[in-house]
Amino acid sequence: MTKEYQDLQHLDNEENDHQHRKRPLPPHSFSRRLCTGPSLLLVSMGLSLLLLVVLCVIGSQNSKLQEELSALRETFSNLTVSTEAKVKALSVQGGNVGRKVKSLESQLEKQQQELNADHSSLLLHVKQFVSDLRSLSCQMAVLQGNGSEKACCPVNWIDYEGSCYWFSRSGKPWPEAEKYCQLENAHLVVVGSWEEQKFIQHHMGPVNTWIGLMDQNGPWKWVDGTDYETGFKNWAPEQPDDWYGHGLGGGEDCAHITVDGRWNDDVCLRPYRWVCEAQRDGGNDS
């Protein structure tokens, strides 16, 4: 082999080496280089920095969310307190309104009762006025000789619904009061209706007043024979009770009208006022 041939061969080898170096590196060679020490450290630092940034952002957002949640809780708490205060205020106002309404209803009912009482009293006065006028006219006719004395009530007696009534102004025991009425051709009053009861109450005043009812000899009886069982009654609650604890001996056998208008049985010897009653066509002067 000549020297020239060897030189040519050498040049061919160098050219092949140069072309070989110009070829691109295979893909796996880049990852291999990336995983080398310095490159791996830089990648790790970058990822760590990115993770740190993400965590900071998340932390910041979480802090804002916590602040907003706290503000919402405080707002809700204030709203709840305010609502409860308003509800309580409305409840108090409602209670005041309810009490005022009840008070007005009570006042209205009381005024209605007073008006009814005044109306009843007025009617009674009007009726009594008419009766007194009729009695006065009757007495005038008797004095002039134009009328019958039996058609009029005696002087100082009150004409009401066909009967004549006399109201005492002093007190006597029940037997003496009945004897007084008999001497006037009358008897102790026999209460036959609620209207007659109101008439007697109006004229007797706020005092205990004997009536013609007693049970000394057995059951309760009216002095004129009116049937007690089927007739009008106005006993007070739990009366008659025939009480023996009064210390006056015996029970309670005579009836009287109390201050409030109810009936009560009592000892016949008590000195109460009384009312005599007579039929208008059977009365005489007292």
Side-chain angles (χ1 to χ4, degrees):
M1 184 179 296
T2 64
K3 183 177 181 183
E4 291 178 357
Y5 178 80
Q6 292 178 350
D7 291 336
L8 289 174
Q9 186 70 32
H10 179 70
L11 288 173
D12 290 335
N13 293 333
E14 288 181 356
E15 186 176 356
N16 292 331
D17 292 337
H18 180 71
Q19 292 178 356
H20 179 73
R21 285 196 296 267
K22 286 184 179 181
R23 294 178 182 175
L25 296 173
H28 64 272
S29 63
F30 174 77
S31 61
R32 188 181 297 118
R33 289 169 59 189
L34 186 62
C35 292
T36 58
S39 300
L40 182 61
L41 179 60
L42 290 174
V43 172
S44 299
M45 291 178 64
L47 291 175
S48 299
L49 181 61
L50 179 60
L51 181 60
L52 180 61
V53 170
V54 172
L55 291 175
C56 290
V57 171
I58 294 175
S60 176
Q61 293 296 327
N62 184 54
S63 178
K64 290 182 179 179
L65 289 174
Q66 291 292 335
E67 291 177 359
E68 293 178 357
L69 181 59
S70 178
L72 286 174
R73 286 177 177 172
E74 185 176 357
T75 302
F76 180 75
S77 178
N78 294 336
L79 180 61
T80 301
V81 172
S82 175
T83 303
E84 289 179 352
K86 290 180 180 179
V87 169
K88 288 182 180 179
L90 289 174
S91 298
V92 172
Q93 292 177 0
N96 292 335
V97 171
R99 285 191 291 271
K100 289 181 181 179
V101 170
K102 288 183 179 180
S103 177
L104 290 174
E105 289 178 350
S106 177
Q107 293 177 8
L108 182 61
E109 183 178 357
K110 183 178 180 180
Q111 291 177 356
Q112 185 67 34
Q113 291 176 352
E114 291 176 352
L115 286 174
N116 291 337
D118 292 341
H119 182 258
S120 299
S121 178
L122 179 61
L123 289 178
L124 185 61
H125 281 295
V126 170
K127 183 179 290 187
Q128 188 59 48
F129 174 76
V130 173
S131 176
D132 291 343
L133 183 61
R134 184 173 61 248
S135 178
L136 180 61
S137 299
C138 182
Q139 294 293 339
M140 290 293 294
V142 170
L143 291 176
Q144 294 173 1
N146 297 327
S148 172
E149 182 179 353
K150 292 185 178 181
C152 305
C153 287
V155 177
N156 297 325
W157 287 59
I158 299 175
D159 187 350
Y160 178 77
E161 297 293 334
S163 295
C164 302
Y165 299 83
W166 183 84
F167 294 83
S168 77
R169 292 295 178 262
S170 61
K172 288 181 180 294
W174 192 95
E176 294 183 22
E178 170 63 10
K179 185 64 176 178
Y180 180 95
C181 293
Q182 290 175 358
L183 292 175
E184 297 292 331
N185 292 325
H187 53 73
L188 283 174
V189 64
V190 175
V191 186
S193 67
W194 177 242
E195 288 73 20
E196 187 177 14
Q197 166 80 29
K198 290 191 294 184
F199 164 77
I200 295 170
Q201 281 184 247
H202 175 73
H203 287 280
M204 77 180 206
V207 292
N208 291 326
T209 302
W210 289 123
I211 59 177
L213 183 63
M214 57 96 67
D215 71 340
Q216 192 169 16
N217 298 320
W220 287 99
K221 294 181 180 179
W222 290 106
V223 292
D224 70 341
T226 298
D227 185 61
Y228 167 78
E229 295 299 332
T230 60
F232 173 76
K233 303 179 185 65
N234 192 38
W235 293 105
E238 300 182 2
Q239 299 297 330
D241 59 357
D242 198 24
W243 187 51
Y244 277 76
H246 42 71
L248 298 177
E252 297 175 325
D253 300 320
C254 297
H256 68 94
I257 300 177
T258 62
V259 174
D260 65 359
R262 295 298 187 93
W263 301 353
N264 176 60
D265 59 335
D266 208 337
V267 180
C268 297
L269 296 180
R270 293 192 188 276
Y272 291 154
R273 293 187 184 185
W274 71 96
V275 181
C276 293
E277 179 183 7
Q279 295 298 313
R280 187 167 55 202
D281 59 358
N284 55 13
D285 293 298
S286 61

